[in-house]
C-alpha cells in the first residue's frame, strides 16, 4: 500500500512550495505572543502588550482577505512582494519603537500596519488545489497542510517567547520578521506551481464573502475557533488552580497532539459521504467533546480529555477547506480560504477574552462552559452549512427542458 502523503509530493515543485510556505507562515503563530512578551518586558504593562497584540490581530483579520482578493485577480507573484515589504517595515518599526520607548500611539500604528501580513496558508492551499483539483489527493494535501498548521502553532509561540526571554525582548518578533522575509522570498521563487489568474466571474470585484454558504462556514469556524481559544486559556487557569501551572504546556501539547495524529489519519482515508455531511458530523464531534471537559478533576484527566477534543480539530479544518474549494469560484479561491482562516482567528480571540472573564468570575472549570456554548453554536450554524451545501434534488421541471415551469 502506497503512502498517500508521499504520493502528493510526486508533483514537480510541490515539496518546494510547501516547505517554503511553512517558513513563511511561521510568523503567524509568533507575532501575537511575541508582541505581548516583548512589550511586557520593555514597558512592564500587560494591558498595553495585550492591546497592541489585539490591534495587530484585528487588523490582519480585516486586511488579509482583501489582500487575497488582489492575489486572486493579479497573481501571487505580483501582490506578495509589496504587501510583505509593508509588513516587514512595520514590524521593524514596531521593534525599534519598543526598544527606544516611542509613544504608545506609534506602537498601535505599526501593529495595525503589520496587519498587511498575507495569508500564506491560503496561498499554499491554492497551489495544491490547482494541482489536484477534483481528485482524492486534494483531500490528502489539505490534511497535510492542517497538520503543518498544528505544528506551526505548537512551535511558533514556544520559539517566540523562548527567544525574547532568553536573548532580548525584541528577539521573538525579530525572528518572526526574518522568517517572513526569507520564507516569502523562497515561496515567490516557486513560479512553476503558482496558480494562474482565473477569469473573474460575473461578480467581478465583489468579495466572495457575499456567498451565503461561505458566510455560514466562516460563522461556524468562528464558533470552532472560540472552542480552541477557550481551551488554551482555561487549561492554563486550571493548571494554576491545581498548583501546577507549568503542567499547562503538557496539557496543551496533548490537545495539539490529538489534532495532529487524527489529522494524519483522516487525510489518508477516503470517504463516500458528501462534504456537507462530513462537515456536520465533524462539528457534532467537536461539540460532543466539549462536554466531558466540564468534569475534569485533575491535570492527567484534563490532558486525556483535551487529546480527545483535539481529534475534532483537524478534520473540521480539512473538510472546511474542501467545502470552500467546491463552493467558491476558482477565481476567488485564495480569498475564500483566507476568510476561513480569519474566522478561526477571530473565534480564538473571542474565546480567549470571554473565557477569561468567566474564569475571573467563577473559576477555571467554568471556563469550559464557554467551549460548550461555542460548540452548540457551531453545530447550529453547521446545520445551515449542510442545508445550503447539500445537493439539491432535480425537479421534474429541471429534468424536462420542454416542460413548463
Amino acid at each position: 500500500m502506497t503512502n498517500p502523503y508521499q504520493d502528493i509530493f510526486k508533483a514537480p515543485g510541490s515539496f518546494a512550495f510547501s516547505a517554503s510556505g511553512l517558513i513563511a507562515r511561521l510568523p503567524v503563530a509568533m507575532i501575537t505572543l511575541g508582541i505581548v512578551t516583548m512589550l511586557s518586558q520593555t514597558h512592564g504593562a500587560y494591558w498595553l502588550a495585550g492591546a497592541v497584540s489585539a490591534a495587530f490581530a484585528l487588523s490582519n483579520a480585516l486586511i488579509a482577505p482583501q489582500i487575497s482578493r488582489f492575489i486572486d485577480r493579479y497573481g501571487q507573484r505580483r501582490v506578495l512582494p509589496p504587501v510583505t515589504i509593508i509588513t516587514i517595515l512595520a514590524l521593524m518599526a514596531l521593534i525599534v519603537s519598543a526598544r527606544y520607548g516611542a509613544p504608545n500611539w506609534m506602537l498601535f500604528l505599526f501593529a495595525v500596519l503589520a496587519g498587511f501580513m498575507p495569508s500564506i496558508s491560503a496561498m499554499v492551499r491554492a497551489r495544491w488545489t490547482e494541482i489536484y483539483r477534483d481528485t482524492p489527493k486534494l483531500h490528502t494535501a489539505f490534511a497535510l497542510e492542517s497538520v503543518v498548521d498544528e505544528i506551526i502553532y505548537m512551535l511558533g509561540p514556544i520559539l517566540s517567547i523562548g527567544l525574547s526571554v532568553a536573548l532580548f525582548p525584541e528577539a521573538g518578533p525579530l525572528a518572526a520578521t526574518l522568517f517572513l522575509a526569507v520564507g516569502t522570498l523562497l515561496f515567490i521563487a516557486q513560479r512553476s506551481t503558482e496558480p494562474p489568474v482565473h477569469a473573474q466571474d460575473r461578480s467581478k470585484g465583489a468579495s466572495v464573502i457575499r456567498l451565503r454558504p461561505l458566510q455560514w462556514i466562516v460563522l461556524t469556524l468562528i464558533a470552532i475557533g472560540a472552542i480552541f481559544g477557550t481551551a488554551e486559556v482555561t487549561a492554563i487557569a486550571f493548571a494554576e488552580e491545581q498548583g501546577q501551572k507549568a503542567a499547562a504546556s503538557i496539557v496543551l501539547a496533548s490537545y495539539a497532539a490529538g489534532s495532529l495524529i487524527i489529522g494524519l489519519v483522516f487525510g489518508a482515508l477516503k470517504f463516500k459521504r458528501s462534504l456537507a455531511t462530513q462537515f456536520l458530523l465533524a462539528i457534532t464531534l467537536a461539540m460532543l467533546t466539549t462536554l466531558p471537559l466540564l468534569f475534569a478533576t485533575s491535570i492527567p484527566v484534563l490532558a486525556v480529555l483535551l487529546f480527545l477534543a483535539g481529534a475534532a480539530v483537524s478534520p473540521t479544518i480539512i473538510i472546511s477547506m474542501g467545502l470552500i474549494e467546491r463552493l467558491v469560484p476558482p477565481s476567488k479561491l485564495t480569498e475564500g480560504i483566507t476568510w476561513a482562516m480569519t474566522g478561526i482567528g477571530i473565534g480564538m480571540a473571542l474565546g480567549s477574552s470571554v473565557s477569561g472573564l468567566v474564569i475571573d468570575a467563577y473559576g477555571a472549570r467554568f471556563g469550559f462552559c464557554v467551549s460548550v456554548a461555542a460548540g452548540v453554536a457551531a453545530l447550529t450554524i453547521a446545520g445551515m452549512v449542510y442545508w445550503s451545501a447539500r445537493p439539491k434534488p432535480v425537479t421534474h421541471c429541471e429534468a424536462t427542458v420542454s416542460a413548463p415551469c
Side-chain angles (χ1 to χ4, degrees):
M1 182 177 178
T2 59
N3 183 338
Y5 291 100
Q6 188 176 21
D7 287 345
I8 63 174
F9 283 113
K10 291 180 179 179
S14 56
F15 180 80
F17 78 72
S18 183
S20 58
L22 186 154
I23 298 171
R25 69 193 203 238
L26 186 58
V28 173
M30 297 177 65
I31 291 297
T32 50
L33 284 177
I35 291 173
V36 171
T37 308
M38 175 179 68
L39 294 180
S40 64
Q41 293 184 82
T42 59
H43 288 64
Y46 276 97
W47 73 266
L48 177 64
V52 173
S53 178
F56 162 77
L58 180 59
S59 173
N60 188 242
L62 296 174
I63 295 175
Q66 313 312 318
I67 292 173
S68 292
R69 285 179 65 189
F70 281 101
I71 287 172
D72 283 330
R73 296 182 68 181
Y74 303 109
Q76 295 180 2
R77 186 159 45 93
R78 293 180 63 184
V79 178
L80 264 178
V83 297
T84 302
I85 290 172
I86 292 173
T87 306
I88 291 172
L89 292 176
L91 287 173
M92 292 303 298
L94 178 61
I95 290 169
V96 172
S97 297
R99 180 75 173 180
Y100 295 102
N104 290 348
W105 67 266
M106 293 184 67
L107 300 177
F108 284 100
L109 172 63
F110 295 132
V112 169
L113 291 176
F116 274 83
M117 181 183 292
S119 177
I120 300 295
S121 178
M123 280 170 266
V124 170
R125 286 176 167 89
R127 294 195 181 210
W128 283 120
T129 302
E130 194 62 34
I131 296 173
Y132 292 125
R133 190 187 303 275
D134 297 326
T135 71
K137 290 183 178 180
L138 183 60
H139 170 80
T140 304
F142 281 168
L144 172 70
E145 295 306 325
S146 293
V147 169
V148 170
D149 284 336
E150 289 295 331
I151 294 172
I152 285 172
Y153 280 99
M154 287 174 63
L155 295 180
I158 296 173
L159 185 60
S160 183
I161 295 171
L163 287 172
S164 290
V165 172
L167 299 179
F168 50 90
E170 301 84 9
L174 179 60
T177 305
L178 293 175
F179 281 130
L180 178 65
V182 174
T184 304
L185 183 63
L186 293 174
F187 185 75
I188 295 172
Q190 314 305 317
R191 297 189 178 185
S192 63
T193 53
E194 180 181 357
V197 177
H198 294 275
Q200 296 293 305
D201 57 18
R202 286 178 295 179
S203 63
K204 297 181 181 179
S207 174
V208 75
I209 197 62
R210 294 188 178 188
L211 293 175
R212 185 58 58 83
L214 180 60
Q215 293 173 1
W216 291 125
I217 293 174
V218 172
L219 287 173
T220 305
L221 293 178
I222 289 174
I224 290 295
I227 296 176
F228 303 162
T230 299
E232 292 180 355
V233 172
T234 308
I236 294 171
F238 184 89
E240 186 172 12
E241 279 190 0
Q242 298 288 315
Q244 305 176 59
K245 189 173 182 178
S249 59
I250 299 174
V251 173
L252 292 175
S254 175
Y255 190 42
S259 176
L260 192 151
I261 293 170
I262 298 302
L264 286 172
V265 174
F266 187 80
L269 300 176
K270 310 301 178 189
F271 299 92
K272 294 182 179 180
R273 292 181 179 272
S274 69
L275 284 171
T277 302
Q278 292 180 43
F279 186 76
L280 187 61
L281 292 174
I283 300 299
T284 302
L285 176 62
M287 187 275 291
L288 292 175
T289 56
T290 64
L291 298 176
L293 296 173
L294 297 172
F295 306 100
T297 56
S298 65
I299 295 295
V301 171
L302 181 60
V304 172
L305 293 178
L306 281 178
F307 179 87
L308 296 176
V313 175
S314 286
T316 298
I317 296 174
I318 294 165
I319 296 166
S320 298
M321 298 305 161
L323 267 176
I324 291 171
E325 186 269 328
R326 297 291 179 86
L327 295 171
V328 170
S331 61
K332 298 184 177 181
L333 179 62
T334 308
E335 183 194 351
I337 295 175
T338 303
W339 276 113
M341 304 305 292
T342 296
I344 295 173
I346 292 173
M348 290 182 69
L350 288 173
S352 298
S353 59
V354 174
S355 61
L357 293 173
V358 172
I359 290 168
D360 287 339
Y362 303 104
R365 189 180 300 179
F366 285 91
F368 288 121
C369 291
V370 180
S371 293
V372 175
V376 173
L379 182 58
T380 303
I381 304 169
M384 301 305 299
V385 175
Y386 176 78
W387 179 261
S388 61
R390 68 189 179 91
K392 302 297 188 296
V394 177
T395 65
H396 176 73
C397 201
E398 292 170 328
T400 308
V401 177
S402 59
C405 296

